[in-house]
Amino acid sequence: MKPVFLSYKREDLDDVREIVKILIAGGIRTWQDISSLGTGLTEPQIHKAIWEECSSLLFYATPKSVVSNFIQEVEIKEAYKKHLQDSEFSIVPIFGLPIEDANNALQQFVVGDISRFNGAKIQGDDGLLQASREARTILFKNILKSGAGQDVNIAISSYSTTAGQLKLLLDLAWSRLSSPAELTTQHTWETSLR
């Protein structure tokens, strides 16, 4: 399984870490600038990741991310082009702002509203957690649809990474949710793993 590209502003990194925990707990690998981006020119690496390395793009739409020139011009624009050429490549927004604001900010980069893509809206006290779970479900359904007719390979690892040669549908690398020196907390079990 190819990873999901995460598009977000660094100012929203604390929220993104929570989103990543929910995705990882569901076996969905992520491509994130902080952990996946090497050295060198950023734009060509992002382009390559979207076009060659990732199965979809999860966009954390916040007041800062929807007006970021880099996100608009590079990440969203490239993801939308890829989606037009490959219908299996999905764009999944998590809305942390009014949906209409996101639609208005991105109207030059996506034909139609960004909200037409199947996504989730943050609402209420547990909004980020619930929206992350909804996004994970959407991504999981897309993964199942794209893997239809293939063998289902799932890896579960606790302290060592999965062998890179396996073609996995899901990679439950739960070791990334806590350090090897500590046990997984009850909160993590209840909110992410269960």
Side-chain angles (χ1 to χ4, degrees), residues 10 31-43 45-46:
R10 290 251 174 112
W31 194 102
Q32 188 175 0
D33 63 344
I34 289 175
S35 57
S36 304
L37 194 59
T39 57
L41 297 174
T42 307
E43 192 170 329
Q45 290 173 311
I46 299 275

Side-chain angles (χ1 to χ4, degrees), residues 96-129:
L97 77 165
I99 291 174
E100 189 61 34
D101 292 352
N103 288 336
N104 290 336
L106 299 171
Q107 65 186 348
Q108 294 177 325
F109 307 97
V110 176
V111 176
D113 294 336
I114 189 79
S115 62
R116 72 185 170 89
F117 292 101
N118 198 2
K121 177 151 178 49
I122 297 174
Q123 301 177 69
D125 293 340
D126 275 346
L128 182 62
L129 178 64

Side-chain angles (χ1 to χ4, degrees), residues 143-161:
I143 290 166
L144 286 177
K145 188 170 81 174
S146 69
Q150 298 178 13
D151 289 338
V152 176
N153 294 313
I154 299 173
I156 300 174
S157 56
S158 57
Y159 288 104
S160 61
T161 57

Side-chain angles (χ1 to χ4, degrees), residues 23-182:
L23 297 179
I24 289 171
I28 298 171
R29 293 186 301 132
T30 60
W31 194 102
Q32 188 175 0
D33 63 344
I34 289 175
S35 57
S36 304
L37 194 59
T39 57
L41 297 174
T42 307
E43 192 170 329
Q45 290 173 311
I46 299 275
H47 180 82
K48 182 178 183 215
I50 290 171
W51 283 90
E52 299 173 23
E53 300 170 11
C54 295
S55 63
S56 55
L57 178 132
L58 186 138
F59 175 48
Y60 186 39
T62 64
K64 292 180 181 180
S65 69
V66 297
V67 296
S68 163
N69 287 335
F70 190 83
I71 289 173
Q72 291 173 336
E73 292 285 343
V74 178
E75 295 176 355
I76 296 295
K77 197 174 194 177
E78 288 302 311
Y80 183 66
K81 285 183 198 174
K82 171 87 187 262
H83 170 74
L84 290 176
Q85 288 188 14
D86 177 3
S87 62
E88 289 187 3
F89 185 89
S90 58
I91 298 172
V92 179
I94 294 180
F95 295 100
L97 77 165
I99 291 174
E100 189 61 34
D101 292 352
N103 288 336
N104 290 336
L106 299 171
Q107 65 186 348
Q108 294 177 325
F109 307 97
V110 176
V111 176
D113 294 336
I114 189 79
S115 62
R116 72 185 170 89
F117 292 101
N118 198 2
K121 177 151 178 49
I122 297 174
Q123 301 177 69
D125 293 340
D126 275 346
L128 182 62
L129 178 64
Q130 293 304 323
S132 299
R133 287 179 178 162
E134 288 176 39
R136 178 177 69 188
T137 299
I138 293 163
L139 290 165
F140 184 70
K141 286 178 181 177
N142 291 342
I143 290 166
L144 286 177
K145 188 170 81 174
S146 69
Q150 298 178 13
D151 289 338
V152 176
N153 294 313
I154 299 173
I156 300 174
S157 56
S158 57
Y159 288 104
S160 61
T161 57
T162 304
Q165 303 300 333
L166 297 175
K167 289 194 112 190
L168 301 173
L169 184 63
L170 295 176
D171 186 2
L172 300 171
W174 290 346
S175 61
R176 290 183 54 198
L177 298 174
S178 60
S179 72
E182 63 184 29

